[in-house]
Amino acid sequence: MPPLITIVTPLHNGAAYIQDNIRSVQAQTMGDYEHIIVNDRSSDGGELLVAEAAKLDPRIKLLHSDAPGAARARNTAILAAQGQYIAFLDCDDYWTETKLHKQIDYMTEHDLAFCWSGYTVVDGKGDPQREQAGPAHASSEDILTKRVVVGCLTVIFDRSRIPDVLMPEIRMRQDMCFFVRLAIACEQNNLNSAGIPEPLAFYRVHGSNMSGNKLRAARFQWRAYREVFGFGLFRSASLFSSYALNGVRDRV
């Protein structure tokens, strides 16, 4: 029987954190999953730790990406996935023990095809810094303009209802683009999506986080509007203005 859930983890030089990541998945109160970890050309031996863990737990599967980038690694896992539900967890992040159980129950109860939750921001040592509540609702426009924040480590979608959706293979903002695609699929096909305000995951902030460079992220946000979604100059400028204003609001 295929697993109910496929957990997608890209691994790039995450040896310092991947064991915590794996343990948080193994501690889940819902164990009907496969955990696909895709090595994205690591050079710190993290993939060896995953290989050792996979010997002891057949739910763990180590794959190797054929091109660099988190988007390609995640797409490699999505294409290999056997689960009905796809969940995301980056190699330096981790979950509460009841994350999967609560979220899958919530999706079933409310007939959701796309779901997210709140999360706790922690430092490199795992000490809590702040909480980010999960928005109850998030339209494609909300996500495009950063009116709401959807954390990748909290997202689960039902691929039996939203099939054939992959991440655009750009260096940054690929997760935002992917969530917009999921939201658009829900809007166009009359499917339900919603968030759980409760923090069910832990997002680790440290020096190597890709999203830490705000200016670079802004450049890729603009590229996403123009190149991924093909918006015109006026539409892109309008969206980017809202994105920038909402970014300032969040920092204040």
Side-chain angles (χ1 to χ4, degrees):
M1 293 290 292
L4 180 65
I5 308 162
T6 296
I7 301 161
V8 171
T9 297
L11 173 66
H12 177 72
N13 292 340
Y17 307 112
I18 190 61
Q19 289 175 308
D20 286 344
N21 173 292
I22 291 171
R23 282 192 287 264
S24 84
V25 173
Q26 291 174 323
Q28 291 298 300
T29 55
M30 177 175 282
D32 188 7
Y33 66 78
E34 62 176 351
H35 189 183
I36 300 181
I37 303 173
V38 182
N39 179 33
D40 176 18
R41 303 192 177 189
S42 296
S43 59
D44 65 351
E47 75 280 8
L48 301 178
L49 299 175
V50 175
E52 288 300 313
K55 293 177 182 178
L56 303 175
D57 188 342
R59 296 173 299 182
I60 300 172
K61 300 177 181 178
L62 175 63
L63 302 181
H64 298 273
S65 184
D66 61 359
R72 174 61 70 92
R74 291 182 184 126
N75 286 341
T76 297
I78 291 171
L79 291 170
Q82 300 183 61
Q84 175 184 344
Y85 295 95
I86 305 291
F88 297 92
L89 183 64
D90 282 359
C91 65
D92 47 358
D93 300 330
Y94 54 104
W95 288 336
T96 64
E97 292 183 357
T98 58
K99 197 267 188 188
L100 291 180
H101 216 145
K102 285 185 175 181
Q103 204 161 349
I104 295 297
D105 284 354
Y106 190 80
M107 293 181 73
T108 301
E109 179 182 355
H110 296 278
D111 191 31
L112 303 180
F114 172 32
C115 182
W116 55 89
S117 78
Y119 58 91
T120 301
V121 178
V122 301
D123 63 18
K125 297 179 181 178
D127 295 327
Q129 303 298 300
R130 63 178 179 87
E131 286 191 357
Q132 177 71 53
H137 303 286
S139 68
S140 57
E141 187 87 0
D142 290 334
I143 302 170
L144 278 167
T145 59
K146 206 178 180 182
R147 190 178 298 133
V148 300
V149 176
V150 174
C152 187
L153 71 167
T154 75
V155 164
I156 299 179
F157 76 98
D158 183 346
R159 69 171 185 158
S160 71
R161 306 175 74 182
I162 311 178
D164 305 322
V165 178
L166 296 173
M167 288 195 175
E169 294 186 3
I170 56 178
R171 187 64 178 161
M172 293 181 70
R173 313 308 290 161
Q174 71 274 7
D175 50 352
M176 178 277 296
C177 295
F178 185 69
F179 305 151
V180 171
R181 287 177 173 177
L182 293 177
I184 289 173
C186 288
E187 293 160 1
Q188 292 179 341
N189 296 285
N190 201 28
L191 300 172
N192 297 323
S193 64
I196 302 172
E198 179 185 356
L200 299 177
F202 298 90
Y203 174 73
R204 198 187 304 265
V205 176
H206 51 84
S208 60
N209 281 88
M210 179 68 75
S211 59
N213 187 324
K214 301 300 181 183
L215 180 59
R216 191 160 181 252
R219 289 200 298 267
F220 274 89
Q221 186 81 12
W222 176 259
R223 285 185 59 189
Y225 294 150
R226 298 286 283 155
E227 298 173 18
V228 176
F229 297 107
F231 297 143
L233 186 61
F234 181 80
R235 169 78 166 142
S236 297
S238 177
L239 289 168
F240 190 83
S241 295
S242 297
Y243 162 81
L245 288 172
N246 288 323
V248 171
R249 176 209 63 193
D250 291 343
R251 293 181 72 85
V252 172

